[in-house]
Amino acid sequence: MHSLRTLSAMKRQRSEPPALISKLSPPSTPPTPQIIQKSHQSNNTIPISLSSKKRRRILIQNLSTNSKASKTYSPSNPISTNRETLNWVSLNLPKSELYLPLTFPTGQTFRWKSTGKLQYTGVVGSHLVSLKQLENGDVAYGFHNTTTDEVDAKLALLDFLNVAVSLIDLWRVFSASDLRFAELARHLGGARVLRQDPFECLIQFLCSSNNNIGRITRMVDFVSSLGKYLGTFEGFEFHEFPSLERLSRVSEVELREAGFGYRAKYIIGTVKALQSKPGGGAEWLASLRKVDLHEAIESLCTLPGVGPKVAACIALFSLDHHHAIPVDTHVWQIATRYLVPDLAGARLTPKMCTHVAEAFVNKYGKYAGWAQTLLFIAELPTQKALLCSDSGATMDDDNSTRNPGSDCTKGNLLSPLSPTPIICILALRSK
């Protein structure tokens, strides 16, 4: 059994507000958003909600747009550390549809590593892949090794990147009804919500409960190390995420010795609960993509260690519930400042959490979770400084009271033009 590894790039820590652990009733199912006209759609983005069959068909059609430029990837030996050997192929996704520094280090997933300037490397299913923002703003990919043909590998990647939703069209509709969003979107475009494997997402967020970013990353790395080894790149080891059966062979004692603390019993308990589900845990989790948000959150909350906020994160980042709103103290502050100012000063209770979630849904519709993601990023101190600098405005008074020694004010969080990972977002999102 491997021990937890220390990652120097992720070791910054900061004090956190108490986590929200109260029971949250999900918002009512919203109406279909008024979006999603066919104006100005890119070749690779379809702004509609898709069934699994339709989704696969659309993604296959997207592959044909640049299939001639792609090459078939055959199985290879463990990868080298020379990133120049990668064969980069454009995804035809512009920066406005996907900006890597505003997508990967934003607390959605803890398995992707910064492996170069504007470059991130991670695992999608059994595929080890690097993504890089090109000089023209487009995103390119490079598979390190794969045991399947390129079509299957790229299908999995496109599905993970949630390209069936057009960020450009969503931002246009949100901006038309919200002048503040319109201003923020000019500076923070490309902040995309991922579509992760539900089991992988669930285990990651069990690790994130009441935790700091360095420890979350080490825990997720430990769990990942139990899966099939895929290679080492730029000093990072990459593994396929372990199966439910593999995790069932890990004991609570082993996890506690590895530094998981009380979360060990939740992971063990959740694995056992999933194994008891009809058809298996993976099938049960996938079925939550087909129910409404209320039922999905209630079902997830039956698992040990899963509360309403963690359930909302899982629903938004892996289960296609685009209007799920993970409510914590930070989202509460955003809502009371801009959406429901009459609630300012009130105590954050389960009932208030419901009001906040519904306020986002009433304002932004079926894709409220995507809007909330951008608003969350924009409230981080250095992002606010950048936005205020661009607009000539001044910082809000509440920021002047922040600890001047915190990571955010020291510049660890840089502007959207910077390749540096946005550390503070992870710390906030994990609470």
Side-chain angles (χ1 to χ4, degrees):
M1 183 70 66
H2 301 290
S3 61
L4 289 179
R5 295 188 295 277
T6 301
L7 298 180
S8 58
M10 307 295 288
K11 68 182 179 181
R12 305 179 182 91
Q13 299 181 9
R14 62 191 295 270
S15 59
E16 303 297 337
L20 174 66
I21 58 175
S22 55
K23 183 76 174 178
L24 167 65
S25 298
S28 56
T29 302
T32 301
Q34 314 97 341
I35 44 183
I36 325 266
Q37 306 297 324
K38 290 188 177 182
S39 59
H40 192 64
Q41 291 181 14
S42 65
N43 290 334
N44 287 351
T45 52
I46 309 298
I48 53 177
S49 181
L50 301 170
S51 68
S52 58
K53 289 183 179 179
K54 288 183 178 179
R55 189 180 188 92
R56 182 174 178 84
R57 185 173 68 250
I58 292 296
L59 294 179
I60 290 175
Q61 290 173 350
N62 289 337
L63 287 179
S64 65
T65 62
N66 60 356
S67 59
K68 293 181 179 180
S70 304
K71 297 180 179 180
T72 301
Y73 293 85
S74 57
S76 63
N77 295 323
I79 60 177
S80 70
T81 59
N82 181 8
R83 63 175 177 268
E84 298 302 324
T85 62
L86 285 177
N87 177 38
W88 295 104
V89 181
S90 176
L91 278 172
N92 292 334
L93 283 176
K95 181 180 176 181
S96 55
E97 283 290 350
L98 174 60
Y99 188 54
L100 301 177
L102 290 181
T103 298
F104 284 101
T106 57
Q108 299 185 57
T109 176
F110 302 89
R111 300 228 304 144
W112 284 70
K113 311 298 182 183
S114 176
T115 53
K117 182 179 180 181
L118 295 176
Q119 179 178 313
Y120 294 85
T121 301
V123 178
V124 178
S126 60
H127 313 294
L128 178 56
V129 59
S130 287
L131 297 172
K132 179 169 69 173
Q133 209 91 37
L134 303 176
E135 290 184 1
N136 66 357
D138 287 355
V139 175
Y141 70 94
F143 287 113
H144 295 269
N145 56 356
T146 182
T147 57
T148 59
D149 63 31
E150 183 208 357
V151 171
D152 286 342
K154 190 178 177 185
L155 267 175
L157 175 61
L158 291 175
D159 187 67
F160 172 75
L161 293 176
N162 227 349
V163 300
V165 177
S166 169
L167 201 59
I168 293 174
D169 286 346
L170 282 181
W171 267 210
R172 180 182 296 110
V173 172
F174 295 156
S175 297
S177 62
D178 185 345
L179 294 180
R180 179 171 178 271
F181 189 100
E183 180 62 24
L184 296 176
R186 290 177 52 236
H187 305 280
L188 302 176
R192 175 167 288 276
V193 172
L194 300 171
R195 188 177 193 257
Q196 301 177 60
D197 174 81
F199 179 61
E200 181 176 332
C201 188
L202 165 62
I203 297 300
Q204 288 186 83
F205 277 96
L206 282 176
C207 293
S208 76
S209 177
N210 294 324
N211 214 345
N212 63 66
I213 189 55
R215 195 177 182 201
I216 297 169
T217 303
R218 291 193 296 272
M219 287 180 180
V220 172
D221 283 348
F222 177 85
V223 174
S224 299
S225 72
L226 303 175
K228 178 183 177 182
Y229 173 72
L230 297 178
T232 299
F233 186 63
E234 295 297 329
F236 297 104
E237 288 186 6
F238 293 93
H239 299 77
E240 187 174 344
F241 199 76
S243 65
L244 180 63
E245 187 280 330
R246 176 64 185 90
L247 280 185
S248 71
R249 292 187 270 122
V250 179
S251 69
E252 181 179 337
V253 171
E254 288 175 304
L255 291 180
R256 285 187 177 275
E257 289 178 348
F260 282 68
Y262 69 88
R263 300 165 198 81
K265 66 179 179 182
Y266 292 146
I267 292 175
I268 298 302
T270 289
V271 167
K272 290 181 179 179
L274 289 175
Q275 286 185 307
S276 69
K277 299 294 183 183
E283 181 178 326
W284 180 78
L285 284 171
S287 73
L288 299 183
R289 287 174 168 168
K290 302 175 183 178
V291 302
D292 63 29
L293 177 60
H294 182 86
E295 183 177 346
I297 293 226
E298 284 196 336
S299 297
L300 289 169
C301 285
T302 63
L303 300 174
V306 177
K309 198 205 112 175
V310 166
C313 287
I314 297 165
L316 177 61
F317 301 138
S318 71
L319 297 178
D320 299 337
H321 293 290
H322 304 295
H323 61 294
I325 307 294
V327 179
D328 59 9
T329 55
H330 308 285
V331 174
W332 165 258
Q333 290 167 5
I334 295 171
T336 55
R337 189 178 299 125
Y338 302 111
L339 298 179
V340 282
D342 54 308
L343 297 181
R347 184 167 166 264
L348 184 56
T349 64
K351 185 177 180 180
M352 290 297 103
C353 288
T354 300
H355 285 322
V356 168
E358 289 180 340
F360 275 98
V361 172
N362 290 336
K363 180 70 173 178
Y364 299 108
K366 190 175 180 179
Y367 288 83
W370 292 61
Q372 179 262 342
T373 296
L374 180 138
L375 296 174
F376 180 86
I377 294 172
E379 285 297 304
L380 295 168
T382 306
Q383 293 293 0
K384 291 185 74 173
L386 173 70
L387 294 169
C388 291
S389 174
D390 288 346
S391 64
T394 58
M395 293 290 286
D396 290 346
D397 290 341
D398 60 315
N399 263 337
S400 64
T401 63
R402 295 186 67 89
N403 176 7
S406 70
D407 281 342
C408 289
T409 55
K410 283 182 179 179
N412 291 333
L413 173 63
L414 301 184
S415 77
L417 302 178
S418 166
T420 303
I422 303 174
I423 302 300
C424 295
I425 296 178
L426 286 163
L428 294 177
R429 180 67 76 184
S430 66
K431 295 305 289 181

